[in-house]
Amino acid sequence: MRIDIITVEPDLIKSPFENSMMKRAIEKNLAEVHFHNLREYGFGNYRQIDDYQFGGGAGMVLMIEPIAKCIEKLKAEREYDEVIYMTPDAKTLNQATANTLSLKKNIIILTGHYKGVDQRVRDLFVTREISIGDYVLTGGELAAAVLCDAVIRLLPGVLGDETSALTDSFQDNLLAPPVYTRPADYNGLKVPEILLSGNFPKIEEWRADQAYKRTEMIRPDLLED
Ligand code: 6GU
């Protein structure tokens, strides 16, 4: 999978890709990630990329031309399955969307800043808009890194244990059950007996029950869909 990220703050977004799982995925050539500094497509000596909004109002808006130049350059080089715009005024990211995107070959992710982008960018280029939750971030960069993490870890070969992505919270729309490791007794706080029993069918039953109870308690909304 190839991901092209268009951003005003490349340095802000790079570090998650240089560590841990995403770094390994990139080193193993399972994911290819490229950063494009929108500023390089700006106007004039100051490389201007934003301007005041028509109709008045606080906050600068990213202009269409620099973004169009960058997207059109990329599209001339290869075909893209999606152009995703990260913005708080969109549907929120969930596991189903991450699963869908993990099957794509080439995607562009555009991250907004300031008051966002000129609406015509969204009308003309964007195929999907994603928010990561009901709160406002300064820019879409961290949100884009979150999206990439959720997607890249699903690519075949990225996670060591092939089954582990399938038993994540949300893969079945349930929260994950509690997990324990050594010691079996910490100052009298004991690990549930069933986990030490070696009875794997019973253990799976217990885990499913715990996942359901935890979901009912913390995220009953997940049980509604
Ligand atoms: Cl994608 N961008 C911004 N700026 N804020 C957000 C967001 C995205 N998702 C949640 N809050």
Side-chain angles (χ1 to χ4, degrees), residues 30 72 94 96-97 110 122 149:
L30 301 170
E72 276 160 4
N94 59 20
T97 303
L110 173 65
R122 301 167 76 160
D149 185 300

Side-chain angles (χ1 to χ4, degrees), residues 85-93 110-114 129-144:
Y85 174 49
M86 303 305 300
T87 179
D89 53 348
K91 285 220 175 97
T92 46
L93 177 62
L110 173 65
T111 70
H113 225 248
Y114 316 107
E129 301 187 331
I130 296 177
S131 161
I132 63 162
D134 294 337
Y135 42 82
V136 177
L137 302 170
T138 310
E141 291 80 14
L142 297 177

Side-chain angles (χ1 to χ4, degrees), residues 9-28:
E9 300 282 2
D11 290 342
L12 172 59
I13 195 178
K14 275 181 183 162
S15 124
F17 296 88
E18 292 166 353
N19 292 282
S20 185
M21 176 279 295
M22 289 205 278
K23 176 187 181 182
R24 285 198 306 277
I26 291 164
E27 281 173 355
K28 287 205 243 170

Side-chain angles (χ1 to χ4, degrees), residues 33 50 68 78 83 119 131 145 162 173 182 187 219:
V33 182
D50 57 354
R78 69 195 60 75
V83 178
Q119 178 60 37
S131 161
E162 283 294 295
N173 239 9
R182 289 188 298 170
N187 296 342
R219 292 292 307 277

Side-chain angles (χ1 to χ4, degrees), residues 2-206:
R2 175 181 169 124
I3 303 174
D4 287 273
I5 300 176
I6 304 173
T7 173
V8 189
E9 300 282 2
D11 290 342
L12 172 59
I13 195 178
K14 275 181 183 162
S15 124
F17 296 88
E18 292 166 353
N19 292 282
S20 185
M21 176 279 295
M22 289 205 278
K23 176 187 181 182
R24 285 198 306 277
I26 291 164
E27 281 173 355
K28 287 205 243 170
N29 289 322
L30 301 170
E32 195 180 329
V33 182
H34 299 267
F35 300 93
H36 306 276
N37 188 343
L38 190 59
R39 180 85 41 201
E40 288 170 17
Y41 298 84
F43 289 108
N45 287 341
Y46 293 103
R47 303 262 135 220
Q48 188 185 353
I49 52 174
D50 57 354
D51 211 334
Y52 297 101
Q53 51 180 313
F54 281 124
M60 306 292 274
V61 174
L62 290 172
M63 296 187 288
I64 189 169
E65 288 104 325
I67 295 170
K69 245 189 274 175
C70 185
I71 290 177
E72 276 160 4
K73 174 175 168 263
L74 289 170
K75 281 187 168 175
E77 292 165 2
R78 69 195 60 75
E79 289 213 4
Y80 285 91
D81 304 302
E82 297 265 1
V83 178
I84 299 167
Y85 174 49
M86 303 305 300
T87 179
D89 53 348
K91 285 220 175 97
T92 46
L93 177 62
N94 59 20
Q95 192 60 48
T97 303
N99 292 350
T100 300
L101 292 176
S102 75
L103 301 173
K104 309 283 183 185
K105 191 157 171 279
N106 300 319
I107 65 175
I108 291 173
I109 301 177
L110 173 65
T111 70
H113 225 248
Y114 316 107
K115 276 286 160 193
V117 300
D118 188 299
Q119 178 60 37
R120 291 166 293 184
V121 171
R122 301 167 76 160
D123 297 341
L124 197 58
F125 296 113
V126 171
T127 61
R128 189 188 289 263
E129 301 187 331
I130 296 177
S131 161
I132 63 162
D134 294 337
Y135 42 82
V136 177
L137 302 170
T138 310
E141 291 80 14
L142 297 177
V146 166
L147 172 64
C148 289
D149 185 300
V151 169
I152 289 174
R153 64 192 294 285
L154 298 173
L155 300 176
V158 170
L159 294 186
D161 178 352
E162 283 294 295
T163 63
S164 77
L166 295 173
T167 57
D168 285 339
S169 274
F170 297 112
Q171 225 21 296
D172 46 12
N173 239 9
L174 292 174
L175 303 188
V179 293
Y180 297 87
T181 184
R182 289 188 298 170
D185 183 333
Y186 175 72
N187 296 342
L189 280 178
K190 294 202 176 69
V191 169
E193 204 67 49
I194 180 76
L195 296 178
L196 310 175
S197 69
N199 184 341
F200 295 105
K202 279 277 170 219
I203 289 173
E204 279 317 302
E205 212 173 281
W206 179 86

